[in-house]
Amino acid sequence: MRVDIISIFPEYFAPLDVSLMGKARERGILDIHLHQLRDWTHDVHKTVDDTPYGGGPGMVMKPEVWGEAVDAVIEGGRAARGADALPRLVVPTPSGRPFTQEVALEYAEEPWLLFAPARYEGIDSRVVAEYGERLRADEVSIGDYVLAGGEAAVLVMVEAVGRLLPGVLGNARSVADDSFAPGAMANLLEGPVYTKPPVWRGHEVPEVLLSGHHGRIARWRRDEALRRTLDRRPELVARLDRDGLDKHDRRV
Ligand SMILES: COc1ccc2nc(C(=O)O)sc2c1
């Protein structure tokens, strides 16, 4: 997967050089290209923003600069991926549709993502309109809070998507057992996890996990996932369709 990120703070993405994402890049599974938005300005101050039409607080990012940057990055990617290749454009914004595990799985199927994190009050809305005419352009939010800019959201999304790519996680089952993963764990939070020692400061590991009885362990884990979800995210349990709850679940 190719990932292009255009930002006025490309240094913000240094964390993508370490840990899982760093290894995925070294192994060629993830091909990340960072771009400084100000490289596409033409004034001495490298201006990327201006006052909002209609008045109001803050500044809006200029469409001309973003347009030149996105065009150039697409051309650059096409040199590597073919003359007709197009990325999926992802613009983080508090007003976007929720970024969920389902969206992460969808993005993990894309060969090329282009992230456009904004600062200030956001990017002139004509940019998404312009590119939405010829490629898939999404406005997404990672949560119901407002960040100082889209860069942190891009870091979150690149990690959530990157870890789903084949070969990135050592144990493929880890993805299947994720909270929110499709299948048996869909809409359920992961339950508690334990490792050695069996007793730590008087806290014992639940006996069932030491039993070696895989059926009982699987049942216990499901019960704990359901219990935790009911306690912390009751609205997710409502999403569990009738098939998602088995006869044992009703007693949790
Ligand atoms: C100005 O650009 C921003 C500002 C806040 C913000 N918050 C996001 C979120 O997903 O919560 S994306 C995003 C982009």
Side-chain angles (χ1 to χ4, degrees):
M1 174 186 285
R2 178 178 173 121
V3 172
D4 284 278
I5 306 172
I6 304 172
S7 168
I8 59 174
F9 297 120
E11 62 274 19
Y12 202 99
F13 300 98
L16 296 178
D17 291 331
V18 298
S19 186
L20 270 180
M21 293 307 107
K23 288 187 177 57
R25 295 177 77 177
E26 286 167 14
R27 291 156 55 191
I29 299 170
L30 204 48
D31 176 24
I32 298 180
H33 300 258
L34 302 177
H35 310 276
Q36 171 46 268
L37 177 66
R38 296 189 191 277
D39 290 351
W40 286 280
T41 60
H42 305 291
D43 64 306
V44 68
H45 299 298
K46 297 185 179 293
T47 308
V48 295
D49 61 312
D50 204 334
T51 53
Y53 275 124
M59 304 290 274
V60 175
M61 300 190 91
K62 296 166 66 67
E64 308 98 312
V65 184
W66 275 103
E68 287 189 33
V70 173
D71 287 348
V73 167
I74 288 175
E75 279 320 298
R78 280 178 160 176
R81 307 189 62 82
D84 297 330
L86 279 173
R88 185 160 183 175
L89 176 63
V90 182
V91 180
T93 169
S95 59
R97 69 177 176 132
F99 177 75
T100 62
Q101 189 66 9
E102 189 177 346
V103 177
L105 287 158
E106 191 182 315
Y107 285 0
E109 297 299 318
E110 294 286 347
W112 184 10
L113 295 175
L114 169 49
F115 289 96
R119 284 275 151 168
Y120 309 102
E121 298 305 312
I123 301 172
D124 184 301
S125 297
R126 290 170 290 181
V127 173
V128 167
E130 155 75 3
Y131 290 99
E133 291 173 359
R134 55 192 164 111
L135 49 78
R136 292 200 68 174
D138 299 335
E139 294 181 276
V140 292
S141 167
I142 63 167
D144 292 338
Y145 38 74
V146 182
L147 305 169
E151 283 80 7
V154 172
L155 274 179
V156 165
M157 289 190 272
V158 170
E159 178 154 325
V161 174
R163 67 184 292 279
L164 296 172
L165 300 178
V168 174
L169 283 188
N171 172 355
R173 276 184 56 77
S174 306
V175 174
D177 292 350
D178 279 347
S179 293
F180 308 105
M185 291 302 288
N187 292 314
L188 282 181
L189 304 181
E190 282 184 79
V193 291
Y194 304 90
T195 186
K196 302 180 189 62
V199 183
W200 174 72
R201 295 187 184 181
H203 301 280
E204 296 180 2
V205 170
E207 184 194 346
V208 65
L209 297 180
L210 310 177
S211 69
H213 191 300
H214 298 299
R216 286 179 54 207
I217 290 170
R219 180 75 261 167
W220 180 88
R221 282 178 169 160
R222 169 127 179 128
D223 288 352
E224 289 303 310
L226 201 50
R227 195 187 318 279
R228 178 174 281 186
T229 309
L230 277 168
D231 177 45
R232 297 178 183 177
R233 295 288 302 277
E235 77 282 4
L236 294 179
V237 177
R239 282 194 216 158
L240 283 173
D241 58 29
R242 191 169 303 282
D243 300 340
L245 290 170
D246 65 35
K247 61 181 182 299
H248 299 293
D249 287 337
R250 300 198 189 290
R251 60 185 169 75
V252 169

Coordinates of all heavy atoms in Angstrom, one line a residue, residues 161-201:
V161 N -5.1 1.2 9.9 CA -5.1 0.5 8.6 C -3.9 -0.3 8.4 O -4.0 -1.5 8.0 CB -5.3 1.6 7.5 CG1 -5.2 0.9 6.1 CG2 -6.6 2.3 7.6
G162 N -2.7 0.2 8.7 CA -1.5 -0.5 8.5 C -1.4 -1.8 9.2 O -0.9 -2.8 8.6
R163 N -1.9 -1.9 10.4 CA -1.8 -3.1 11.1 C -2.7 -4.2 10.5 O -2.5 -5.4 10.8 CB -2.2 -2.9 12.6 CG -3.6 -2.6 12.9 CD -3.9 -2.3 14.3 NE -3.8 -3.5 15.1 CZ -4.7 -4.4 15.3 NH1 -5.9 -4.2 14.6 NH2 -4.6 -5.4 16.1
L164 N -3.6 -3.8 9.7 CA -4.5 -4.8 9.0 C -3.9 -5.4 7.8 O -4.4 -6.4 7.2 CB -5.8 -4.2 8.7 CG -6.7 -3.6 9.8 CD1 -7.9 -2.8 9.3 CD2 -7.2 -4.8 10.7
L165 N -2.8 -4.8 7.3 CA -2.2 -5.3 6.1 C -1.5 -6.7 6.3 O -0.8 -6.8 7.3 CB -1.2 -4.3 5.5 CG -1.8 -2.9 5.2 CD1 -0.7 -2.0 4.7 CD2 -2.9 -3.0 4.2
P166 N -1.7 -7.6 5.4 CA -1.0 -8.9 5.5 C 0.5 -8.8 5.8 O 1.2 -8.0 5.1 CB -1.3 -9.6 4.1 CG -2.5 -8.9 3.6 CD -2.4 -7.4 4.1
G167 N 0.9 -9.5 6.8 CA 2.3 -9.6 7.1 C 2.8 -8.5 8.1 O 3.9 -8.6 8.6
V168 N 1.9 -7.6 8.5 CA 2.3 -6.6 9.5 C 2.3 -7.1 10.9 O 3.2 -7.0 11.7 CB 1.4 -5.3 9.3 CG1 1.8 -4.3 10.4 CG2 1.7 -4.7 8.0
L169 N 1.2 -7.8 11.3 CA 1.1 -8.3 12.6 C 1.6 -9.7 12.6 O 1.3 -10.5 11.7 CB -0.4 -8.4 13.1 CG -1.1 -7.1 13.5 CD1 -2.4 -7.4 14.1 CD2 -0.2 -6.4 14.5
G170 N 2.4 -10.1 13.6 CA 3.0 -11.4 13.6 C 1.9 -12.5 13.6 O 2.0 -13.4 12.9
N171 N 0.9 -12.3 14.5 CA -0.1 -13.3 14.6 C -1.4 -12.9 14.0 O -2.1 -12.0 14.5 CB -0.3 -13.6 16.1 CG -1.5 -14.5 16.3 OD1 -2.2 -14.9 15.4 ND2 -1.7 -14.9 17.6
A172 N -1.7 -13.4 12.8 CA -2.9 -13.0 12.1 C -4.2 -13.0 12.9 O -5.1 -12.2 12.8 CB -3.1 -13.8 10.8
R173 N -4.2 -14.0 13.9 CA -5.4 -14.1 14.7 C -5.6 -12.8 15.5 O -6.7 -12.5 15.9 CB -5.3 -15.3 15.7 CG -5.7 -16.6 15.0 CD -5.6 -17.7 16.0 NE -6.4 -17.5 17.2 CZ -7.8 -17.6 17.2 NH1 -8.4 -17.9 16.1 NH2 -8.5 -17.4 18.3
S174 N -4.5 -12.1 15.8 CA -4.7 -10.9 16.6 C -5.7 -9.9 16.0 O -6.5 -9.3 16.7 CB -3.4 -10.1 16.8 OG -2.4 -11.0 17.3
V175 N -5.7 -9.9 14.7 CA -6.7 -9.0 14.0 C -8.1 -9.5 14.1 O -9.0 -8.8 14.4 CB -6.3 -8.9 12.5 CG1 -7.3 -8.1 11.7 CG2 -4.9 -8.2 12.3
A176 N -8.2 -10.8 14.0 CA -9.6 -11.4 14.1 C -10.2 -11.2 15.5 O -11.4 -11.0 15.6 CB -9.5 -12.9 13.7
D177 N -9.3 -11.2 16.5 CA -9.8 -11.1 17.9 C -9.9 -9.6 18.3 O -10.2 -9.3 19.5 CB -8.9 -11.8 18.8 CG -9.0 -13.3 18.6 OD1 -9.9 -13.7 17.8 OD2 -8.1 -14.1 19.1
D178 N -9.6 -8.7 17.4 CA -9.7 -7.3 17.8 C -11.1 -6.9 18.3 O -12.1 -7.4 17.9 CB -9.4 -6.4 16.6 CG -8.0 -6.2 16.3 OD1 -7.1 -6.6 17.1 OD2 -7.7 -5.8 15.2
S179 N -11.1 -5.9 19.2 CA -12.4 -5.3 19.5 C -12.9 -4.7 18.2 O -12.2 -4.2 17.3 CB -12.2 -4.1 20.4 OG -11.8 -4.5 21.7
F180 N -14.2 -4.9 17.9 CA -14.9 -4.4 16.7 C -14.6 -5.2 15.5 O -15.0 -4.8 14.4 CB -14.5 -2.9 16.5 CG -14.7 -2.0 17.7 CD1 -13.7 -1.5 18.4 CD2 -16.0 -1.7 18.1 CE1 -13.8 -0.7 19.5 CE2 -16.2 -0.9 19.2 CZ -15.1 -0.4 19.9
A181 N -13.7 -6.2 15.6 CA -13.4 -7.0 14.3 C -14.7 -7.7 13.9 O -15.5 -8.0 14.7 CB -12.3 -8.0 14.6
P182 N -14.8 -7.8 12.6 CA -16.0 -8.6 12.1 C -16.1 -10.0 12.7 O -15.1 -10.5 13.2 CB -15.8 -8.6 10.6 CG -14.8 -7.6 10.3 CD -14.0 -7.5 11.5
G183 N -17.3 -10.6 12.6 CA -17.4 -11.9 13.1 C -17.8 -12.0 14.6 O -18.5 -11.0 15.0
A184 N -17.3 -13.0 15.3 CA -17.8 -13.2 16.7 C -17.6 -12.0 17.6 O -18.3 -11.8 18.5 CB -17.1 -14.5 17.2
M185 N -16.5 -11.2 17.3 CA -16.2 -10.1 18.2 C -16.8 -8.8 17.7 O -16.6 -7.8 18.3 CB -14.7 -10.0 18.3 CG -14.1 -11.1 19.1 SD -14.8 -11.3 20.8 CE -14.1 -9.9 21.6
A186 N -17.6 -8.9 16.6 CA -18.1 -7.6 16.1 C -18.9 -6.9 17.2 O -19.7 -7.5 17.9 CB -19.0 -7.9 14.9
N187 N -18.7 -5.6 17.3 CA -19.4 -4.8 18.3 C -19.2 -5.2 19.7 O -20.0 -4.8 20.6 CB -20.9 -4.8 18.0 CG -21.2 -4.1 16.7 OD1 -20.7 -3.0 16.4 ND2 -22.0 -4.8 15.8
L188 N -18.1 -5.9 20.0 CA -17.8 -6.2 21.4 C -16.4 -5.7 21.7 O -15.5 -5.8 20.9 CB -17.8 -7.8 21.6 CG -19.2 -8.4 21.7 CD1 -19.0 -9.9 21.9 CD2 -19.9 -7.8 22.9
L189 N -16.2 -5.2 22.9 CA -14.9 -4.8 23.4 C -14.1 -6.0 23.8 O -14.7 -7.0 24.3 CB -15.1 -3.8 24.6 CG -15.9 -2.6 24.4 CD1 -15.9 -1.8 25.6 CD2 -15.4 -1.8 23.2
E190 N -12.8 -6.0 23.6 CA -12.0 -7.1 24.1 C -12.1 -7.1 25.6 O -12.1 -6.1 26.3 CB -10.6 -6.9 23.7 CG -10.3 -7.3 22.2 CD -8.8 -7.2 21.9 OE1 -8.1 -8.2 22.2 OE2 -8.4 -6.2 21.3
G191 N -12.1 -8.3 26.2 CA -12.1 -8.5 27.6 C -10.8 -8.4 28.2 O -9.8 -8.0 27.5
P192 N -10.6 -8.7 29.5 CA -9.3 -8.5 30.2 C -8.3 -9.5 29.7 O -8.7 -10.6 29.3 CB -9.7 -8.8 31.7 CG -10.9 -9.5 31.7 CD -11.7 -9.1 30.4
V193 N -7.0 -9.2 29.8 CA -6.0 -10.1 29.4 C -4.9 -10.2 30.5 O -4.8 -9.3 31.3 CB -5.2 -9.5 28.1 CG1 -6.1 -9.6 26.9 CG2 -4.7 -8.1 28.3
Y194 N -4.3 -11.4 30.6 CA -3.3 -11.7 31.6 C -2.1 -12.4 31.1 O -2.2 -13.0 30.1 CB -4.0 -12.6 32.7 CG -5.3 -12.0 33.3 CD1 -6.5 -12.3 32.7 CD2 -5.3 -11.2 34.4 CE1 -7.7 -11.8 33.2 CE2 -6.4 -10.7 34.9 CZ -7.6 -11.0 34.3 OH -8.8 -10.4 34.8
T195 N -1.0 -12.3 31.8 CA 0.2 -13.1 31.5 C 0.9 -13.5 32.9 O 0.3 -13.2 33.9 CB 1.2 -12.3 30.6 OG1 2.2 -13.2 30.2 CG2 1.8 -11.1 31.3
K196 N 2.0 -14.2 32.8 CA 2.7 -14.6 34.0 C 3.1 -13.3 34.8 O 3.3 -12.2 34.2 CB 3.9 -15.4 33.7 CG 3.7 -16.6 32.8 CD 5.0 -17.3 32.5 CE 4.8 -18.4 31.5 NZ 4.3 -17.8 30.1
P197 N 3.1 -13.4 36.2 CA 3.0 -14.6 37.0 C 1.5 -14.9 37.3 O 0.7 -13.9 37.2 CB 3.7 -14.2 38.3 CG 3.5 -12.7 38.4 CD 3.5 -12.2 37.0
P198 N 1.2 -16.0 37.8 CA -0.2 -16.4 38.1 C -0.8 -15.6 39.2 O -2.0 -15.3 39.3 CB -0.2 -17.9 38.4 CG 1.2 -18.2 38.7 CD 2.1 -17.2 38.0
V199 N 0.1 -15.1 40.1 CA -0.4 -14.2 41.2 C 0.6 -13.0 41.2 O 1.8 -13.2 41.3 CB -0.3 -14.9 42.6 CG1 -0.9 -13.9 43.7 CG2 -1.2 -16.2 42.5
W200 N 0.0 -11.8 41.3 CA 0.9 -10.6 41.3 C 0.3 -9.6 42.3 O -0.9 -9.3 42.2 CB 0.9 -9.9 39.9 CG 1.6 -8.6 39.9 CD1 2.9 -8.4 40.0 CD2 1.0 -7.3 39.8 NE1 3.2 -7.0 40.0 CE2 2.0 -6.4 39.9 CE3 -0.4 -6.9 39.7 CZ2 1.7 -5.0 39.8 CZ3 -0.6 -5.5 39.6 CH2 0.4 -4.6 39.7
R201 N 1.1 -9.4 43.4 CA 0.6 -8.5 44.4 C -0.8 -8.9 45.0 O -1.6 -8.1 45.2 CB 0.5 -7.0 44.0 CG 1.9 -6.5 43.6 CD 1.8 -5.0 43.3 NE 3.1 -4.4 42.9 CZ 3.3 -3.1 42.6 NH1 2.3 -2.3 42.7 NH2 4.5 -2.7 42.2

